[in-house]
């Protein structure tokens, strides 16, 4: 759930969420809604709405006569795009990027192989369009334009796999790709080899070559991990 900027409770979450994920409130910390309402100058009903969102992410739990308690990190919904965004904005960015990139390396190659078997003609055309968009924005410091096509490319691969679990990881992959760009964990221009690999993956999927699609996608994710070794050790 993307709540950034959505009313007063969104403003509260924009501050409180990052504070919790950054460890400013360690697990077991008790937050008093009346004190928080006073701190953020909002009504208790607004504060309760913000707490409900945090509860849905399993960052906190409310207990009668106790208050709002911060849950252990092991219980957080680490797949929630907003939680990912908050963690990428904090001090644990390198660890979060690495964790997400390892997840990509485990999932995306398999998804690409499945996409080569199941992708529709429309999905193949969309992949080609995205790959060509990446090529067009790969020079001249056009990282935002490149990101748009990169995110779209990987979403299509995950959906085209035909696996509903993979498809739901589209937002997770989008967050890690966006985080790399917004937090300068990217070279000024994308690696030309990575750009070429995306074009080749689109071709392999269109041709129904599952083994090659999987192999090429694995090269992409290996390259992403190597970039982290350089830029976010």
């Amino acid at each position: 759930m993307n709540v950034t900027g959505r009313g007063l409770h969104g403003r509260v979450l924009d501050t409180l969420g990052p504070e919790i994920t950054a460890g400013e409130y360690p697990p077991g910390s008790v937050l008093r809604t009346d004190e928080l309402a006073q701190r953020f100058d909002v009504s208790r009903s607004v504060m309760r709405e913000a707490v409900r969102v945090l509860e849905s992410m399993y960052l906190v739990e409310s207990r009668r006569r106790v208050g709002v308690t911060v849950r252990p990190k092991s219980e957080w919904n680490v797949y929630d795009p907003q939680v990912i965004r908050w963690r990428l904005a904090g001090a644990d960015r390198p660890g979060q990027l690495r964790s997400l990139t390892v997840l990509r390396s485990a999932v995306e190659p398999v998804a690409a192989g499945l996409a080569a078997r199941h992708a529709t003609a429309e999905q193949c055309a969309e992949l080609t369009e995205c790959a060509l968009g990446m090529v067009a924005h790969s020079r001249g410091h056009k990282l935002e334009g490149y990101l748009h096509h990169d995110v779209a490319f990987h979403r299509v691969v995950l959906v085209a796999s035909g696996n509903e679990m993979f498809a739901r990881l589209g937002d997770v992959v989008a967050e890690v790709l966006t985080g790399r760009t917004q937090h300068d964990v990217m070279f000024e221009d994308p690696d030309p080899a990575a750009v070429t690999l995306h074009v080749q993956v689109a071709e392999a999927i269109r041709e129904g070559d599952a083994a090659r699609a999987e192999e090429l996608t694995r090269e992409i994710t290996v390259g992403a991990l190597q970039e982290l070794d350089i830029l976010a050790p």
Side-chain angles (χ1 to χ4, degrees), residues 51-216:
V51 167
R52 278 195 289 269
V53 175
L54 294 173
E55 284 181 307
S56 73
M57 300 172 175
Y58 295 93
L59 296 181
V60 303
E61 61 180 338
S62 296
R63 293 179 180 175
R64 192 172 293 179
R65 299 191 185 89
V66 175
V68 179
T69 306
V70 177
R71 302 177 74 150
K73 185 185 295 186
S74 59
E75 297 178 2
W76 296 354
N77 180 6
V78 293
Y79 289 100
D80 187 294
Q82 186 69 72
V83 173
I84 292 171
R85 200 170 307 145
W86 288 337
R87 295 180 74 187
L88 286 174
D92 190 36
R93 182 181 307 139
Q96 175 73 162
L97 281 170
R98 189 165 299 279
S99 176
L100 290 165
T101 305
V102 169
L103 174 66
R104 289 184 59 202
S105 70
V107 169
E108 289 196 83
V110 178
L114 290 171
R117 298 184 178 95
H118 302 297
T120 64
E122 290 77 10
Q123 288 169 331
C124 289
E126 192 173 354
L127 279 175
T128 299
E129 182 180 348
C130 292
L132 293 177
M134 293 172 71
V135 172
H137 291 82
S138 62
R139 287 290 173 268
H141 304 174
K142 302 174 183 176
L143 287 181
E144 287 298 328
Y146 181 87
L147 172 65
H148 171 78
H149 294 286
D150 194 15
V151 167
F153 181 95
H154 291 279
R155 282 190 186 278
V156 175
V157 170
L158 290 167
V159 171
S161 72
N163 183 294
E164 62 184 7
M165 306 300 286
F166 287 173
R168 289 298 300 272
L169 291 175
D171 287 344
V172 173
V173 173
E175 288 300 331
V176 66
L177 294 174
T178 301
R180 288 193 317 167
T181 300
Q182 292 183 344
H183 297 293
D184 300 322
V185 190
M186 282 278 286
F187 297 110
E188 289 186 345
D189 283 325
D191 178 12
V195 178
T196 300
L197 283 170
H198 282 78
V199 174
Q200 293 173 336
V201 169
E203 292 173 349
I205 291 174
R206 186 176 66 248
E207 294 168 1
D209 191 338
R212 181 160 172 74
E214 183 170 343
E215 177 187 355
L216 291 166

